[in-house]
Amino acid sequence: MNNRLNLTFWSGVGTVTGANFLLEDDKTRILVDCGLVQGTEDSDMENQKQFPYDTKTIDFLFITHAHMDHIGRVGKIVKDGFHGTIYSTPETFELAQVMIMDAIKIMEINKRESGVEPLYSKGDAEKAFSLWKTISYHETKKINDEFEVFVMNAGHILGSAMYKFLYGGKKIVFTGDSGNSSSPLLKDTDKITDADYLIMDSVYGDRNHEPKEERNLMFKEIILETIALGGTIVIPAFALERTQVILYELNNMVEDKKIPSIPVFLDSPLAEKVTDIYRRSTDNFNQVVQDEIKGGDDIFQFPKLSITHGARESQDIEYKLNSKIIIAGSGMSSGGRVVGHEVHFLPDPKSTILLMGYQAIGTLGREIENKPRQIEINGEMIQVKARIEMISGFSSHKDSDNLVAMVADTAQTVKKVFVVLGEPKAATYLAQRLHEEIMVDAIYPERGVPYQL
């Protein structure tokens, strides 16, 4: 085989979001992920741009998982002419349909309110779904004469996959987003032991999470301290994975009487749909959770948990007296119902805004994380008197030490590591750690530059 194999990072370099990587030889072009750029001032403009390659010539699109920064432009690439085959795990396909159709509703609302044209239509999304095929964990699939792919469990969210492409004796592994194992819900990330080339994430490349015992203790104490003041705990949460983990942990704390049973409002119709998919996917859970379910525990349901549907119900939550917990999207406060709750409770010194994961630069969540005295939301200056807390240990991303450990498992075989999907500071720090501590060739690649493998 004399074909040259090239790898190009068209997006997802210099930012945490917007994953879009091209693996190609002279005959075959494979994309890994096609996600939205999120959280930057020019993200809308970036997402509207034409793709920097001929979409009609792409043969395959592999989706690592169903977060929008990995699937959010799938409808656009189909609209722009892609007609190849899309692959993911079955769980990712089911989640992607819910996530993408919800995004289309939001785009249609934005068009009515501000005249912004949607990236793509419902018809484009439905065409994408018709091109979609599924492949399960630990399955090897020969996709053409040159390429085979082996699917591994990333342990990040339900259905998240790492793809090992086999080509002419080379093994090229894309981690997508590697999970923060051990996870409260999911099985651990599969070990990578034989990669020649590794394309890895680096969201937390320059820092570590709290230990899991400390994380759970912090969560409990923040709830108890806010209840003692008679305040409200507002938790901005992604509908996919973070909400399910929070519900599971609250369920355990209520059942074990570690916190009193107070009203908990899940104010996210999308999260409700996603949670239903989780309930049907118990084979993906770790053994502890599977045993709890077999013992009769509904891990996402507990006394005083209410699901909020309409906008009026959402607004009414704020006026319910006494302490309560509100879980609402979006996870970085970049839109959704949580923003209204933040406007209401940020000025309240008895209440707490509890951030439970990464907040991208440029998002309202990052501004809140910085604990300003006041903050502008929807053109209104809001006084910040509420307690602001961050618990990073609930993140579904590996931290710096565990990212290094993941690469160490394949240090004897790997020729080059490409560190992507992180802020520049985090990605370059991680690349340096990998070089100095386990002596692998790790680089922070340039966008749009082809690297020959």
Side-chain angles (χ1 to χ4, degrees), residues 134-202:
T134 61
I135 179 170
S136 297
Y137 289 139
H138 309 138
E139 181 180 344
T140 299
K141 185 171 187 62
K142 188 175 178 64
I143 60 174
N144 64 14
D145 291 341
E146 289 82 28
F147 286 90
E148 289 185 357
V149 66
F150 179 71
V151 185
M152 294 180 286
N153 190 344
H156 172 59
I157 66 171
L158 181 66
S160 59
M162 302 186 291
Y163 293 113
K164 183 197 309 183
F165 292 95
L166 294 84
Y167 175 90
K170 301 182 182 76
K171 297 174 181 176
I172 305 100
V173 178
F174 293 81
T175 67
D177 286 341
S178 51
N180 181 20
S181 300
S182 56
S183 160
L185 291 175
L186 302 177
K187 296 176 182 177
D188 288 354
T189 307
D190 286 340
K191 284 193 174 186
I192 304 165
T193 59
D194 60 353
D196 294 301
Y197 298 93
L198 181 64
I199 298 88
M200 68 178 297
D201 54 307
S202 62

Side-chain angles (χ1 to χ4, degrees), residues 248-306:
Y248 173 70
E249 295 292 359
L250 287 172
N251 174 61
N252 288 340
M253 285 193 284
V254 170
E255 288 183 349
D256 296 341
K257 295 182 169 53
K258 292 181 177 178
I259 62 171
S261 181
I262 64 170
V264 177
F265 297 93
L266 177 56
D267 191 17
S268 170
L270 176 59
E272 182 183 10
K273 293 176 184 177
V274 170
T275 303
D276 287 342
I277 295 173
Y278 269 66
R279 280 195 172 95
R280 300 196 296 269
S281 306
T282 55
D283 288 349
N284 291 268
F285 295 160
N286 62 48
Q287 195 59 53
V288 170
V289 177
Q290 289 194 39
D291 290 344
E292 289 173 353
I293 294 169
K294 288 175 184 175
D297 189 3
D298 185 342
I299 62 170
F300 301 127
Q301 183 63 50
F302 46 89
K304 298 190 179 179
L305 172 65
S306 301

Side-chain angles (χ1 to χ4, degrees), residues 393-409:
F394 283 99
S395 170
S396 52
H397 295 265
K398 277 184 172 39
D399 64 10
S400 188
D401 284 352
N402 283 295
L403 288 167
V404 172
M406 178 177 69
V407 180
D409 289 333

Side-chain angles (χ1 to χ4, degrees), residues 26-47:
D26 296 339
K27 298 179 181 178
T28 306
R29 310 190 84 193
I30 298 169
L31 279 179
V32 176
D33 287 334
C34 193
L36 288 175
V37 178
Q38 297 174 309
T40 62
E41 289 184 2
D42 62 347
S43 57
D44 288 342
M45 185 173 64
E46 282 292 313
N47 292 323

Side-chain angles (χ1 to χ4, degrees), residues 267 308-320 324 326 337 340-341 344-345:
D267 191 17
T308 305
H309 296 106
R312 178 60 63 85
E313 284 183 64
S314 174
Q315 294 164 6
D316 288 347
I317 294 172
E318 295 160 4
Y319 301 101
K320 295 184 183 296
K324 53 192 170 292
I326 303 171
R337 294 182 178 182
H341 298 306
H344 187 85
F345 289 105

Side-chain angles (χ1 to χ4, degrees), residues 201-243:
D201 54 307
S202 62
V203 174
Y204 286 92
D206 60 347
R207 56 206 186 280
N208 288 322
H209 304 315
E210 311 93 354
K212 290 181 169 55
E213 299 77 12
E214 181 182 332
R215 171 196 76 186
N216 292 336
L217 181 61
M218 287 175 65
F219 191 21
K220 181 188 76 170
E221 288 183 345
I222 289 167
I223 292 171
L224 291 176
E225 289 165 4
T226 307
I227 290 173
L229 294 172
T232 292
I233 302 102
V234 178
I235 306 177
F238 296 109
L240 174 50
E241 183 68 21
R242 189 66 42 75
T243 292

